[in-house]
Amino acid sequence: MTEPHADSVAPERAPSASLPTGFPDDAVLPDVALELGGLFAEAGYELSLVGGPVRDLFLGRGVVDLDFTTNALPEQTQTVVAEWADAVWDIGARFGTIGFKKGEWQLEVTTYRAEQYDPESRKPVVAFGTELNDDLFRRDFTVNAMALRLPDLELVDPFGGMRDLAAGMLRTPGAPEDSFSDDPLRMMRAARFAAQLGFAVNDTVVQAMIAMAQRIDIISAERVREELVKLILADQPRAGIDLLVRTGLADQVLPEVPALQLETDEHHRHKDVYNHSLTVLEQALDHEADYVEAPDFVLRFAALMHDVGKPATRRFERSGAVSFRHHDVVGAKLVRKRMRALKFDNDTIKAVATLVELHMRFYGYGDAGWSDSAVRRYVTDAGDQLQRLHALTRSDVTTRNRRKAERLAHAYDDLEQRIAELLEREELDAIRPDLDGKQVMELLGISPGPLVGRAYKHLLEWRLDDGPHDEETAKAEVLRWWAEQPEHPSASKSSDSDD
């Protein structure tokens, strides 16, 4: 079963036959589903819309992906749709799934399955089934174990999925221990659905998650990562993260987060870092649309992880204060390590780590103010993450002291205004030294090598401190710098005369 992607848009749909009692009056099943059901019926096979699409029709969320199940074998499915579909492809015939396109719709049909997992294997061992109810029983949760038979639109709900949808409850069709033994990733999916749907999780399911949390270790990092991303992009990610922590799953897949549950000293000299981080994550959802296209994984994950360096850096000072010196730098290193373990791509890792490393940079601006040079460095160091850094910094204010919160908000308003003014005046987003490498080599009469890089770095630092300069001024500065370098010809002559 596939889930709707955050950036997916359902194709335009025409009205169709009435859905069974219990579905919202305005719920619409696309005609393409009825057409496909008719084709399978004419060929003598069963076909049902199954899982997420049925659930989402009931919830009024709109249908983006259409998943079907059938008693036809994969090769028989291909025969049925060959002339009707615009394109057909083999998604995974050995797992029973055939994909195809009809108009603007991408469809998947999977043969009934009686799937079993080797307890020590990451991959399923698939056996095709012959009964719809057996196929539904092996699905993860009752709300995903419903089907609409096509084309007659008979609702098949043997495990009370409709009842659980109405109650907002996640349960498994059978014993949760059996379900999670078959596929431990379903424990992650419970947290994801809690975040996506806002559902409570049945106590027996929670207890099974606690007892079996270590089973998640047999699941590949890539599959865990995909569930984590979907959770973070959900409407209520805090609920999902908190469930992972409460059940011990986070200890296996994201241990830096439960580690934030630092023991608060008796005088409460530092805030609850774990709940602070969850609050920052929630506030990032409020701020993200002002700065980036929502939902944004990089911003949200950085908000969750921004303080993961605190447990390793906590110190009790002689004064009685608690400090977390350099937790931003330590946190960035921990984030890189964890995201590599979860097989994230390098660009995403770099983006999140940059935000974690820079999330403390703003503090102090409101007290002492910054020079133009400091503002330039803030923008340059943030690079293409500047808008996300704006959102993260604002989200990181969780104080209950209204006057302090207002002061920090006004200070950041002022910083953003100064950045905007500098951007307009200096095109700060494209800062480069006033001379390029070729000009430096020609001016100094040197060949490509480390010395050119040092000169270029000096010009960049000089520009950040003083702003842009004309070419002649820049040439004079690089000549002044060159005269002070040990490689300069005058330096060797001076050394000879000293001898």
CSV table of all heavy atoms in Angstrom, one decimal, residues 359-414:
chain,number,residue,atom,x,y,z
A,359,HIS,N,22.4,27.5,15.1
A,359,HIS,CA,21.1,27.9,15.7
A,359,HIS,C,21.3,28.8,16.9
A,359,HIS,O,20.4,29.5,17.3
A,359,HIS,CB,20.3,26.7,16.1
A,359,HIS,CG,20.7,26.1,17.5
A,359,HIS,ND1,21.7,25.1,17.5
A,359,HIS,CD2,20.3,26.3,18.7
A,359,HIS,CE1,21.8,24.7,18.8
A,359,HIS,NE2,21.0,25.4,19.5
A,360,MET,N,22.5,28.9,17.5
A,360,MET,CA,22.8,29.8,18.6
A,360,MET,C,23.4,31.1,18.2
A,360,MET,O,23.7,32.0,19.0
A,360,MET,CB,23.8,29.1,19.6
A,360,MET,CG,23.2,27.9,20.3
A,360,MET,SD,21.8,28.4,21.4
A,360,MET,CE,22.7,29.3,22.6
A,361,ARG,N,23.8,31.2,16.9
A,361,ARG,CA,24.5,32.4,16.4
A,361,ARG,C,23.8,33.7,16.8
A,361,ARG,O,24.5,34.7,17.1
A,361,ARG,CB,24.8,32.3,14.9
A,361,ARG,CG,25.6,33.4,14.3
A,361,ARG,CD,27.1,33.3,14.7
A,361,ARG,NE,27.7,32.1,14.2
A,361,ARG,CZ,28.3,32.0,13.0
A,361,ARG,NH1,28.2,33.1,12.1
A,361,ARG,NH2,28.8,30.9,12.6
A,362,PHE,N,22.5,33.8,16.7
A,362,PHE,CA,21.8,35.0,16.8
A,362,PHE,C,21.8,35.6,18.3
A,362,PHE,O,21.9,36.8,18.5
A,362,PHE,CB,20.3,34.8,16.5
A,362,PHE,CG,19.4,35.8,17.0
A,362,PHE,CD1,19.3,37.1,16.5
A,362,PHE,CD2,18.5,35.5,18.1
A,362,PHE,CE1,18.5,38.1,17.0
A,362,PHE,CE2,17.6,36.5,18.6
A,362,PHE,CZ,17.6,37.8,18.0
A,363,TYR,N,21.9,34.7,19.3
A,363,TYR,CA,21.8,35.2,20.6
A,363,TYR,C,22.9,36.1,21.0
A,363,TYR,O,24.1,35.8,20.8
A,363,TYR,CB,21.7,34.0,21.6
A,363,TYR,CG,20.4,33.2,21.4
A,363,TYR,CD1,20.4,32.1,20.5
A,363,TYR,CD2,19.2,33.7,21.9
A,363,TYR,CE1,19.2,31.4,20.3
A,363,TYR,CE2,18.0,33.0,21.6
A,363,TYR,CZ,18.0,31.9,20.8
A,363,TYR,OH,16.8,31.3,20.5
A,364,GLY,N,22.6,37.2,21.6
A,364,GLY,CA,23.6,38.3,21.9
A,364,GLY,C,23.4,39.4,21.0
A,364,GLY,O,23.8,40.6,21.3
A,365,TYR,N,22.7,39.2,19.8
A,365,TYR,CA,22.5,40.3,18.9
A,365,TYR,C,21.6,41.4,19.6
A,365,TYR,O,21.9,42.6,19.4
A,365,TYR,CB,21.8,39.8,17.6
A,365,TYR,CG,21.4,40.9,16.7
A,365,TYR,CD1,22.3,41.4,15.7
A,365,TYR,CD2,20.1,41.5,16.7
A,365,TYR,CE1,21.9,42.4,14.9
A,365,TYR,CE2,19.8,42.5,15.8
A,365,TYR,CZ,20.7,42.9,14.9
A,365,TYR,OH,20.3,44.0,14.0
A,366,GLY,N,20.6,41.0,20.3
A,366,GLY,CA,19.7,42.0,20.9
A,366,GLY,C,20.3,42.7,22.0
A,366,GLY,O,19.9,43.9,22.4
A,367,ASP,N,21.4,42.2,22.7
A,367,ASP,CA,22.0,42.9,23.8
A,367,ASP,C,23.1,43.8,23.3
A,367,ASP,O,23.2,44.9,23.8
A,367,ASP,CB,22.7,41.8,24.7
A,367,ASP,CG,21.6,40.9,25.3
A,367,ASP,OD1,20.5,41.4,25.6
A,367,ASP,OD2,21.9,39.7,25.6
A,368,ALA,N,23.9,43.4,22.4
A,368,ALA,CA,25.1,44.2,22.0
A,368,ALA,C,25.0,44.8,20.6
A,368,ALA,O,25.7,45.7,20.2
A,368,ALA,CB,26.4,43.4,22.1
A,369,GLY,N,24.1,44.2,19.8
A,369,GLY,CA,24.0,44.7,18.4
A,369,GLY,C,25.2,44.1,17.6
A,369,GLY,O,26.2,43.6,18.2
A,370,TRP,N,25.1,44.0,16.3
A,370,TRP,CA,26.1,43.5,15.5
A,370,TRP,C,26.6,44.6,14.5
A,370,TRP,O,25.9,45.4,14.0
A,370,TRP,CB,25.6,42.3,14.6
A,370,TRP,CG,25.4,41.0,15.4
A,370,TRP,CD1,25.8,40.8,16.7
A,370,TRP,CD2,24.9,39.8,14.9
A,370,TRP,NE1,25.5,39.5,17.0
A,370,TRP,CE2,25.0,38.9,15.9
A,370,TRP,CE3,24.4,39.4,13.6
A,370,TRP,CZ2,24.5,37.6,15.8
A,370,TRP,CZ3,24.0,38.1,13.5
A,370,TRP,CH2,24.1,37.2,14.5
A,371,SER,N,27.9,44.4,14.2
A,371,SER,CA,28.4,45.3,13.1
A,371,SER,C,27.9,44.8,11.8
A,371,SER,O,27.4,43.7,11.7
A,371,SER,CB,30.0,45.2,13.2
A,371,SER,OG,30.4,43.9,12.9
A,372,ASP,N,28.1,45.6,10.7
A,372,ASP,CA,27.8,45.1,9.4
A,372,ASP,C,28.6,43.8,9.1
A,372,ASP,O,28.1,42.9,8.4
A,372,ASP,CB,28.0,46.2,8.4
A,372,ASP,CG,27.0,47.2,8.3
A,372,ASP,OD1,26.0,47.1,9.1
A,372,ASP,OD2,27.1,48.2,7.6
A,373,SER,N,29.8,43.8,9.5
A,373,SER,CA,30.6,42.6,9.3
A,373,SER,C,30.0,41.4,9.9
A,373,SER,O,30.0,40.3,9.2
A,373,SER,CB,32.0,42.8,9.9
A,373,SER,OG,32.8,41.6,9.8
A,374,ALA,N,29.5,41.5,11.1
A,374,ALA,CA,28.9,40.3,11.7
A,374,ALA,C,27.6,39.8,11.0
A,374,ALA,O,27.4,38.7,10.9
A,374,ALA,CB,28.5,40.6,13.2
A,375,VAL,N,26.8,40.8,10.5
A,375,VAL,CA,25.6,40.5,9.7
A,375,VAL,C,26.0,39.8,8.4
A,375,VAL,O,25.4,38.8,8.0
A,375,VAL,CB,24.8,41.7,9.4
A,375,VAL,CG1,23.6,41.4,8.5
A,375,VAL,CG2,24.3,42.4,10.7
A,376,ARG,N,27.1,40.3,7.8
A,376,ARG,CA,27.5,39.6,6.5
A,376,ARG,C,28.0,38.2,6.8
A,376,ARG,O,27.7,37.3,6.0
A,376,ARG,CB,28.7,40.4,5.9
A,376,ARG,CG,28.4,41.8,5.4
A,376,ARG,CD,29.6,42.4,4.7
A,376,ARG,NE,29.4,43.8,4.4
A,376,ARG,CZ,29.9,44.8,5.1
A,376,ARG,NH1,30.6,44.5,6.2
A,376,ARG,NH2,29.6,46.0,4.8
A,377,ARG,N,28.7,38.0,7.9
A,377,ARG,CA,29.1,36.6,8.2
A,377,ARG,C,28.0,35.7,8.5
A,377,ARG,O,28.0,34.5,8.2
A,377,ARG,CB,30.1,36.7,9.4
A,377,ARG,CG,31.4,37.3,9.0
A,377,ARG,CD,32.4,37.4,10.2
A,377,ARG,NE,33.6,38.1,9.8
A,377,ARG,CZ,34.6,37.6,9.2
A,377,ARG,NH1,34.6,36.3,8.9
A,377,ARG,NH2,35.7,38.3,8.9
A,378,TYR,N,27.0,36.2,9.2
A,378,TYR,CA,25.8,35.4,9.5
A,378,TYR,C,25.1,34.9,8.2
A,378,TYR,O,24.8,33.7,8.1
A,378,TYR,CB,24.8,36.3,10.3
A,378,TYR,CG,23.6,35.6,10.8
A,378,TYR,CD1,23.7,34.8,11.9
A,378,TYR,CD2,22.3,35.8,10.3
A,378,TYR,CE1,22.6,34.2,12.5
A,378,TYR,CE2,21.2,35.2,10.8
A,378,TYR,CZ,21.3,34.3,11.9
A,378,TYR,OH,20.2,33.7,12.4
A,379,VAL,N,25.0,35.8,7.2
A,379,VAL,CA,24.4,35.5,6.0
A,379,VAL,C,25.3,34.5,5.2
A,379,VAL,O,24.8,33.5,4.6
A,379,VAL,CB,24.1,36.7,5.1
A,379,VAL,CG1,23.6,36.3,3.8
A,379,VAL,CG2,23.1,37.6,5.8
A,380,THR,N,26.6,34.8,5.2
A,380,THR,CA,27.5,34.0,4.4
A,380,THR,C,27.6,32.6,5.0
A,380,THR,O,27.6,31.6,4.2
A,380,THR,CB,28.9,34.6,4.4
A,380,THR,OG1,28.8,35.9,3.8
A,380,THR,CG2,29.9,33.8,3.6
A,381,ASP,N,27.7,32.5,6.3
A,381,ASP,CA,27.8,31.1,6.9
A,381,ASP,C,26.5,30.3,6.7
A,381,ASP,O,26.5,29.1,6.6
A,381,ASP,CB,28.1,31.3,8.4
A,381,ASP,CG,29.5,31.8,8.7
A,381,ASP,OD1,30.3,31.8,7.7
A,381,ASP,OD2,29.8,32.2,9.8
A,382,ALA,N,25.3,31.0,6.8
A,382,ALA,CA,24.1,30.3,6.5
A,382,ALA,C,23.9,29.9,5.1
A,382,ALA,O,23.3,28.8,4.8
A,382,ALA,CB,22.9,31.2,6.9
A,383,GLY,N,24.4,30.6,4.2
A,383,GLY,CA,24.4,30.3,2.8
A,383,GLY,C,22.9,30.1,2.3
A,383,GLY,O,22.1,30.9,2.6
A,384,ASP,N,22.7,28.9,1.6
A,384,ASP,CA,21.3,28.7,1.1
A,384,ASP,C,20.4,28.2,2.2
A,384,ASP,O,19.2,27.9,1.9
A,384,ASP,CB,21.4,27.7,0.0
A,384,ASP,CG,22.0,26.4,0.3
A,384,ASP,OD1,22.3,26.2,1.5
A,384,ASP,OD2,22.2,25.5,-0.5
A,385,GLN,N,20.8,28.2,3.4
A,385,GLN,CA,19.9,27.8,4.5
A,385,GLN,C,19.5,29.0,5.3
A,385,GLN,O,18.9,28.8,6.4
A,385,GLN,CB,20.7,26.8,5.5
A,385,GLN,CG,21.1,25.5,4.8
A,385,GLN,CD,20.0,24.8,4.2
A,385,GLN,OE1,18.9,24.7,4.7
A,385,GLN,NE2,20.2,24.4,2.9
A,386,LEU,N,19.7,30.2,4.8
A,386,LEU,CA,19.3,31.4,5.6
A,386,LEU,C,17.9,31.5,5.9
A,386,LEU,O,17.5,31.8,7.1
A,386,LEU,CB,19.7,32.7,4.8
A,386,LEU,CG,19.4,34.0,5.5
A,386,LEU,CD1,20.2,34.1,6.8
A,386,LEU,CD2,19.8,35.2,4.6
A,387,GLN,N,17.0,31.2,5.0
A,387,GLN,CA,15.5,31.3,5.3
A,387,GLN,C,15.1,30.2,6.4
A,387,GLN,O,14.4,30.5,7.3
A,387,GLN,CB,14.7,31.1,4.0
A,387,GLN,CG,14.9,32.2,3.0
A,387,GLN,CD,14.6,33.5,3.5
A,387,GLN,OE1,13.5,33.8,4.1
A,387,GLN,NE2,15.5,34.5,3.3
A,388,ARG,N,15.7,29.0,6.3
A,388,ARG,CA,15.4,28.0,7.3
A,388,ARG,C,16.0,28.5,8.6
A,388,ARG,O,15.4,28.2,9.7
A,388,ARG,CB,16.0,26.7,6.9
A,388,ARG,CG,15.2,26.0,5.7
A,388,ARG,CD,15.8,24.6,5.5
A,388,ARG,NE,15.0,23.9,4.5
A,388,ARG,CZ,15.5,23.5,3.3
A,388,ARG,NH1,16.7,23.8,3.0
A,388,ARG,NH2,14.7,22.9,2.4
A,389,LEU,N,17.2,29.1,8.6
A,389,LEU,CA,17.7,29.6,9.9
A,389,LEU,C,16.9,30.6,10.5
A,389,LEU,O,16.7,30.7,11.8
A,389,LEU,CB,19.2,30.1,9.6
A,389,LEU,CG,19.9,30.5,10.9
A,389,LEU,CD1,20.1,29.4,11.9
A,389,LEU,CD2,21.3,31.1,10.5
A,390,HIS,N,16.3,31.5,9.7
A,390,HIS,CA,15.3,32.5,10.3
A,390,HIS,C,14.2,31.8,11.0
A,390,HIS,O,13.9,32.1,12.1
A,390,HIS,CB,14.7,33.3,9.1
A,390,HIS,CG,15.7,34.3,8.5
A,390,HIS,ND1,16.7,34.9,9.2
A,390,HIS,CD2,15.7,34.9,7.3
A,390,HIS,CE1,17.4,35.7,8.4
A,390,HIS,NE2,16.7,35.7,7.2
A,391,ALA,N,13.6,30.8,10.3
A,391,ALA,CA,12.5,30.1,10.9
A,391,ALA,C,12.9,29.3,12.2
A,391,ALA,O,12.2,29.3,13.2
A,391,ALA,CB,11.9,29.1,9.9
A,392,LEU,N,14.1,28.6,12.1
A,392,LEU,CA,14.5,27.9,13.3
A,392,LEU,C,14.8,28.8,14.5
A,392,LEU,O,14.4,28.5,15.6
A,392,LEU,CB,15.8,27.1,12.9
A,392,LEU,CG,16.4,26.3,14.1
A,392,LEU,CD1,15.4,25.3,14.7
A,392,LEU,CD2,17.7,25.6,13.6
A,393,THR,N,15.5,29.9,14.2
A,393,THR,CA,15.8,30.8,15.3
A,393,THR,C,14.5,31.3,16.0
A,393,THR,O,14.4,31.4,17.2
A,393,THR,CB,16.7,32.0,14.8
A,393,THR,OG1,17.8,31.4,14.2
A,393,THR,CG2,17.1,32.9,16.0
A,394,ARG,N,13.6,31.7,15.2
A,394,ARG,CA,12.3,32.2,15.8
A,394,ARG,C,11.6,31.0,16.6
A,394,ARG,O,11.0,31.2,17.6
A,394,ARG,CB,11.4,32.7,14.7
A,394,ARG,CG,11.9,34.0,14.1
A,394,ARG,CD,10.9,34.6,13.2
A,394,ARG,NE,11.3,35.9,12.6
A,394,ARG,CZ,11.3,37.1,13.1
A,394,ARG,NH1,10.8,37.2,14.4
A,394,ARG,NH2,11.7,38.2,12.5
A,395,SER,N,11.7,29.8,16.0
A,395,SER,CA,11.0,28.7,16.7
A,395,SER,C,11.7,28.3,18.0
A,395,SER,O,11.0,27.7,18.9
A,395,SER,CB,11.0,27.5,15.7
A,395,SER,OG,10.4,27.8,14.5
A,396,ASP,N,12.9,28.7,18.2
A,396,ASP,CA,13.7,28.3,19.3
A,396,ASP,C,13.4,29.1,20.6
A,396,ASP,O,13.9,28.9,21.6
A,396,ASP,CB,15.2,28.3,19.0
A,396,ASP,CG,16.0,27.6,20.0
A,396,ASP,OD1,15.5,26.7,20.7
A,396,ASP,OD2,17.3,27.9,20.1
A,397,VAL,N,12.5,30.1,20.4
A,397,VAL,CA,12.1,30.9,21.6
A,397,VAL,C,10.9,30.3,22.3
A,397,VAL,O,9.8,30.3,21.7
A,397,VAL,CB,11.8,32.3,21.1
A,397,VAL,CG1,11.3,33.2,22.3
A,397,VAL,CG2,13.0,33.0,20.5
A,398,THR,N,11.1,29.6,23.4
A,398,THR,CA,10.0,28.9,24.1
A,398,THR,C,9.8,29.5,25.5
A,398,THR,O,9.1,28.9,26.3
A,398,THR,CB,10.3,27.4,24.2
A,398,THR,OG1,11.5,27.2,24.9
A,398,THR,CG2,10.5,26.8,22.8
A,399,THR,N,10.5,30.6,25.8
A,399,THR,CA,10.3,31.1,27.2
A,399,THR,C,8.9,31.5,27.5
A,399,THR,O,8.2,32.0,26.6
A,399,THR,CB,11.3,32.4,27.3
A,399,THR,OG1,11.1,32.9,28.6
A,399,THR,CG2,10.9,33.4,26.3
A,400,ARG,N,8.5,31.4,28.7
A,400,ARG,CA,7.2,31.8,29.1
A,400,ARG,C,7.2,33.3,29.6
A,400,ARG,O,6.1,33.8,29.9
A,400,ARG,CB,6.7,30.9,30.3
A,400,ARG,CG,6.5,29.5,29.9
A,400,ARG,CD,6.0,28.6,31.1
A,400,ARG,NE,5.8,27.2,30.7
A,400,ARG,CZ,5.5,26.3,31.6
A,400,ARG,NH1,5.2,26.6,32.9
A,400,ARG,NH2,5.3,25.0,31.2
A,401,ASN,N,8.4,33.9,29.6
A,401,ASN,CA,8.5,35.3,30.0
A,401,ASN,C,8.1,36.1,28.7
A,401,ASN,O,8.9,36.2,27.8
A,401,ASN,CB,9.9,35.6,30.4
A,401,ASN,CG,10.1,37.0,30.9
A,401,ASN,OD1,9.5,37.9,30.3
A,401,ASN,ND2,10.9,37.2,31.9
A,402,ARG,N,6.9,36.7,28.8
A,402,ARG,CA,6.4,37.4,27.6
A,402,ARG,C,7.3,38.6,27.2
A,402,ARG,O,7.6,38.8,26.0
A,402,ARG,CB,5.0,37.9,27.9
A,402,ARG,CG,4.3,38.5,26.6
A,402,ARG,CD,3.0,39.0,26.9
A,402,ARG,NE,3.0,40.2,27.7
A,402,ARG,CZ,2.0,40.9,28.1
A,402,ARG,NH1,0.7,40.5,27.8
A,402,ARG,NH2,2.1,42.0,28.8
A,403,ARG,N,7.9,39.3,28.1
A,403,ARG,CA,8.7,40.4,27.8
A,403,ARG,C,10.0,40.0,27.1
A,403,ARG,O,10.5,40.6,26.2
A,403,ARG,CB,9.0,41.2,29.1
A,403,ARG,CG,7.8,41.9,29.7
A,403,ARG,CD,8.2,42.7,30.9
A,403,ARG,NE,9.1,43.8,30.5
A,403,ARG,CZ,9.7,44.6,31.5
A,403,ARG,NH1,9.4,44.5,32.8
A,403,ARG,NH2,10.5,45.6,31.1
A,404,LYS,N,10.6,38.9,27.6
A,404,LYS,CA,11.8,38.3,27.0
A,404,LYS,C,11.5,37.8,25.6
A,404,LYS,O,12.3,38.1,24.6
A,404,LYS,CB,12.3,37.2,27.8
A,404,LYS,CG,13.6,36.6,27.3
A,404,LYS,CD,14.1,35.5,28.2
A,404,LYS,CE,15.4,34.9,27.6
A,404,LYS,NZ,15.9,33.8,28.4
A,405,ALA,N,10.4,37.2,25.4
A,405,ALA,CA,10.0,36.7,24.1
A,405,ALA,C,9.8,37.8,23.1
A,405,ALA,O,10.2,37.7,22.0
A,405,ALA,CB,8.7,35.8,24.2
A,406,GLU,N,9.1,38.9,23.6
A,406,GLU,CA,8.9,40.0,22.7
A,406,GLU,C,10.2,40.7,22.3
A,406,GLU,O,10.4,41.1,21.2
A,406,GLU,CB,7.9,41.0,23.4
A,406,GLU,CG,6.5,40.5,23.4
A,406,GLU,CD,5.6,41.4,24.2
A,406,GLU,OE1,6.1,42.4,24.8
A,406,GLU,OE2,4.4,41.2,24.1
A,407,ARG,N,11.1,40.8,23.3
A,407,ARG,CA,12.4,41.4,23.1
A,407,ARG,C,13.2,40.7,22.0
A,407,ARG,O,13.8,41.2,21.1
A,407,ARG,CB,13.2,41.5,24.4
A,407,ARG,CG,14.6,42.1,24.2
A,407,ARG,CD,15.3,42.3,25.5
A,407,ARG,NE,15.4,41.0,26.2
A,407,ARG,CZ,16.4,40.1,26.0
A,407,ARG,NH1,17.3,40.3,25.0
A,407,ARG,NH2,16.4,39.0,26.7
A,408,LEU,N,13.2,39.3,22.1
A,408,LEU,CA,13.9,38.5,21.2
A,408,LEU,C,13.3,38.6,19.8
A,408,LEU,O,14.0,38.6,18.8
A,408,LEU,CB,13.9,37.0,21.6
A,408,LEU,CG,14.8,36.7,22.8
A,408,LEU,CD1,14.6,35.3,23.3
A,408,LEU,CD2,16.3,36.9,22.4
A,409,ALA,N,11.9,38.6,19.7
A,409,ALA,CA,11.3,38.7,18.4
A,409,ALA,C,11.6,40.1,17.8
A,409,ALA,O,11.8,40.1,16.6
A,409,ALA,CB,9.7,38.6,18.7
A,410,HIS,N,11.6,41.2,18.5
A,410,HIS,CA,11.9,42.5,18.0
A,410,HIS,C,13.3,42.5,17.5
A,410,HIS,O,13.6,43.1,16.5
A,410,HIS,CB,11.6,43.6,19.0
A,410,HIS,CG,10.2,43.8,19.3
A,410,HIS,ND1,9.2,43.9,18.3
A,410,HIS,CD2,9.5,44.0,20.5
A,410,HIS,CE1,8.0,44.1,18.8
A,410,HIS,NE2,8.2,44.2,20.1
A,411,ALA,N,14.2,41.9,18.3
A,411,ALA,CA,15.7,41.9,17.9
A,411,ALA,C,15.8,41.1,16.6
A,411,ALA,O,16.6,41.6,15.7
A,411,ALA,CB,16.5,41.2,19.0
A,412,TYR,N,15.1,40.0,16.4
A,412,TYR,CA,15.3,39.3,15.2
A,412,TYR,C,14.6,40.0,14.0
A,412,TYR,O,15.1,39.9,12.9
A,412,TYR,CB,14.7,37.8,15.3
A,412,TYR,CG,15.4,36.9,14.3
A,412,TYR,CD1,16.7,36.4,14.7
A,412,TYR,CD2,15.0,36.6,13.1
A,412,TYR,CE1,17.4,35.6,13.8
A,412,TYR,CE2,15.7,35.8,12.2
A,412,TYR,CZ,16.9,35.3,12.5
A,412,TYR,OH,17.6,34.6,11.7
A,413,ASP,N,13.5,40.7,14.3
A,413,ASP,CA,12.9,41.6,13.3
A,413,ASP,C,14.0,42.5,12.8
A,413,ASP,O,14.1,42.8,11.5
A,413,ASP,CB,11.7,42.3,13.8
A,413,ASP,CG,10.5,41.4,14.1
A,413,ASP,OD1,10.5,40.3,13.5
A,413,ASP,OD2,9.6,41.9,14.8
A,414,ASP,N,14.7,43.1,13.7
A,414,ASP,CA,15.7,44.1,13.3
A,414,ASP,C,16.8,43.5,12.5
A,414,ASP,O,17.3,44.0,11.5
A,414,ASP,CB,16.3,44.7,14.6
A,414,ASP,CG,17.3,45.8,14.3
A,414,ASP,OD1,16.9,46.9,13.8
A,414,ASP,OD2,18.5,45.6,14.6
